[in-house]
Amino acid sequence: QMKTTVRNLRIREDTAKYLRNLDPDSAYYDPKSRAMRENPTPHLKDAVYSGDNFARATGDALKLATTQVFAWDQQNENSKIIIQAEPSRAELERTSHTLASQAQAAAHRAQLMAKYGDSSTIDANKEENKLRSFQSQSESYREFDRHGQIVSGSQQIPSSKYAEDIYNNNHTSVWGSFFCPQTFQWGYADDHSTVRNSYATGENGKIANDAARLSSAPIPCEPSTSDNKRINDQQTSSSFPSSKRFKPNSQLYGTPDYQELDLDESKVQQAMLRIEKEAHASNSNNYNSLASTQVTLEDMEAYRRSKLAADDPMRSFLHQDKGGGQTS
């Protein structure tokens, strides 16, 4: 009787697994079990050795593994099949079980094709299948068993908790289908009405509502002449009435246009001297109820000239006299 040799003992003429690729980052070699599961030379197409896992995933190894899995499944169904004891019986029963499963799948596919049609039938009858797909879509909830029978359900489930597609007072669109940018209000898209639950007026109402909003829209104001030029010839020759033409800032906001004011320069100088005296007087903060509180345009102009801006680079030269000295 021959002595049992080592399981993975190689022939002397064979190249060792760890010598096929000397790169340290290549396939791992286990010296204890003498196994190299990965392919050490994946860059070679016609490699002599492609790793130990290559032998397990090629040839009859997959077929044997499939038969073993089938035998385990049959043992769970109280059918004792031992592949090591009866390999022929296990292979025969696996083949018959595979053929029966394929026949059952083919019959089920044929039943579905007869009921719903295949790609050729869909291409031939596009309109009919489109109508059928629309009819098959619904919001009814049903539960089916594995045989296609209705278990429970058929009640209607709404798509939203809010009422949808409700057209009141002869409207053809719902409320909120139109937004007016002039008044920032929602309305109906058929007649542009922004009154909730109003009666529909159609296209004529849409024209009337748009015209009413345009007529009530505010007219933009013209900037003052100190910043920009006055309105051009096109604006002056427009069809706007005189009451709705552009107004200067002095009439809208109370801001005077200093180029248009008719000021008395002597009164302005007197007001500037009065402001300077009040600034240096000790009793400038005393309140006098009998004093006049009326402010004239000359007083405003004197205050504007005497007020020093903090960021004015020439403010230190404003009160210097002609001789170069600075007034106290």
Side-chain angles (χ1 to χ4, degrees), residues 108 115-116 141-153:
H108 183 62
K115 185 175 182 180
Y116 300 105
Y141 175 77
R142 296 180 183 180
E143 293 183 359
F144 300 87
D145 57 3
R146 60 185 300 179
H147 302 291
Q149 303 296 329
I150 298 177
V151 177
S152 63

Coordinates of all heavy atoms in Angstrom, one line a residue, residues 108 115-116 141-153:
H108 N -46.4 30.0 -17.4 CA -46.7 31.3 -16.7 C -46.5 32.4 -17.7 O -47.3 33.4 -17.8 CB -46.0 31.4 -15.4 CG -46.4 32.7 -14.7 ND1 -47.6 32.9 -14.2 CD2 -45.6 33.8 -14.3 CE1 -47.7 34.1 -13.6 NE2 -46.5 34.6 -13.6
K115 N -52.7 37.3 -21.9 CA -53.5 38.3 -21.2 C -53.1 39.7 -21.5 O -54.0 40.6 -21.7 CB -53.5 38.1 -19.7 CG -54.4 38.9 -18.9 CD -54.4 38.6 -17.4 CE -55.4 39.4 -16.6 NZ -55.4 39.1 -15.2
Y116 N -51.8 40.0 -21.5 CA -51.4 41.4 -21.7 C -50.7 41.7 -23.0 O -50.5 42.8 -23.4 CB -50.4 41.8 -20.5 CG -51.0 41.7 -19.2 CD1 -50.7 40.6 -18.3 CD2 -51.9 42.7 -18.7 CE1 -51.3 40.5 -17.0 CE2 -52.5 42.6 -17.4 CZ -52.2 41.5 -16.6 OH -52.7 41.4 -15.4
Y141 N -57.9 51.1 -3.9 CA -56.9 50.3 -3.2 C -57.4 48.9 -3.0 O -58.5 48.7 -2.5 CB -56.6 51.0 -1.8 CG -55.7 50.1 -1.0 CD1 -54.3 50.1 -1.2 CD2 -56.2 49.4 0.1 CE1 -53.5 49.4 -0.4 CE2 -55.3 48.6 0.9 CZ -54.0 48.6 0.6 OH -53.1 47.9 1.4
R142 N -56.6 47.9 -3.5 CA -57.0 46.5 -3.3 C -55.8 45.7 -3.0 O -54.7 46.1 -3.3 CB -57.6 46.0 -4.6 CG -58.9 46.7 -5.1 CD -59.4 46.1 -6.3 NE -60.7 46.7 -6.8 CZ -61.3 46.4 -7.9 NH1 -60.8 45.5 -8.7 NH2 -62.4 47.1 -8.2
E143 N -56.0 44.6 -2.2 CA -55.0 43.7 -1.9 C -55.3 42.4 -2.5 O -56.4 41.9 -2.5 CB -54.9 43.5 -0.4 CG -54.4 44.8 0.4 CD -54.3 44.6 1.9 OE1 -54.6 43.4 2.3 OE2 -53.9 45.5 2.6
F144 N -54.3 41.8 -3.2 CA -54.4 40.6 -3.9 C -53.5 39.5 -3.2 O -52.5 39.8 -2.6 CB -54.0 40.7 -5.4 CG -54.8 41.7 -6.1 CD1 -54.5 43.1 -6.1 CD2 -55.9 41.3 -6.8 CE1 -55.2 44.0 -6.8 CE2 -56.7 42.2 -7.5 CZ -56.3 43.6 -7.5
D145 N -53.9 38.3 -3.4 CA -53.1 37.2 -2.9 C -52.1 36.7 -4.0 O -52.1 37.3 -5.1 CB -53.9 36.0 -2.4 CG -54.9 35.5 -3.5 OD1 -54.8 36.0 -4.6 OD2 -55.7 34.6 -3.2
R146 N -51.4 35.7 -3.8 CA -50.4 35.2 -4.8 C -51.1 34.6 -6.0 O -50.4 34.5 -7.1 CB -49.5 34.2 -4.2 CG -50.2 32.9 -3.7 CD -49.3 32.0 -2.9 NE -48.2 31.6 -3.8 CZ -47.2 30.7 -3.5 NH1 -47.1 30.3 -2.2 NH2 -46.3 30.4 -4.3
H147 N -52.3 34.3 -6.0 CA -53.1 33.7 -7.1 C -53.8 34.8 -7.9 O -54.5 34.5 -8.9 CB -54.0 32.6 -6.7 CG -53.4 31.5 -5.9 ND1 -52.5 30.6 -6.6 CD2 -53.4 31.2 -4.6 CE1 -52.1 29.7 -5.7 NE2 -52.6 30.1 -4.5
G148 N -53.7 36.1 -7.5 CA -54.4 37.1 -8.2 C -55.8 37.4 -7.7 O -56.5 38.2 -8.3
Q149 N -56.3 36.8 -6.6 CA -57.6 37.0 -6.1 C -57.6 38.2 -5.2 O -56.6 38.4 -4.4 CB -58.1 35.8 -5.4 CG -58.1 34.5 -6.3 CD -59.1 34.7 -7.5 OE1 -60.1 35.4 -7.4 NE2 -58.8 34.0 -8.6
I150 N -58.7 39.0 -5.2 CA -58.8 40.1 -4.3 C -59.1 39.6 -2.8 O -60.0 38.9 -2.6 CB -60.0 41.0 -4.7 CG1 -59.7 41.6 -6.1 CG2 -60.2 42.2 -3.8 CD1 -60.8 42.4 -6.7
V151 N -58.2 40.1 -2.0 CA -58.3 39.7 -0.5 C -59.2 40.7 0.2 O -60.1 40.4 0.9 CB -56.9 39.6 0.1 CG1 -57.0 39.3 1.6 CG2 -56.1 38.6 -0.6
S152 N -58.8 42.0 0.1 CA -59.6 43.1 0.7 C -59.3 44.4 0.0 O -58.4 44.5 -0.8 CB -59.2 43.2 2.2 OG -57.8 43.6 2.3
G153 N -60.2 45.3 0.2 CA -60.1 46.6 -0.4 C -61.0 46.8 -1.6 O -61.8 45.9 -2.0

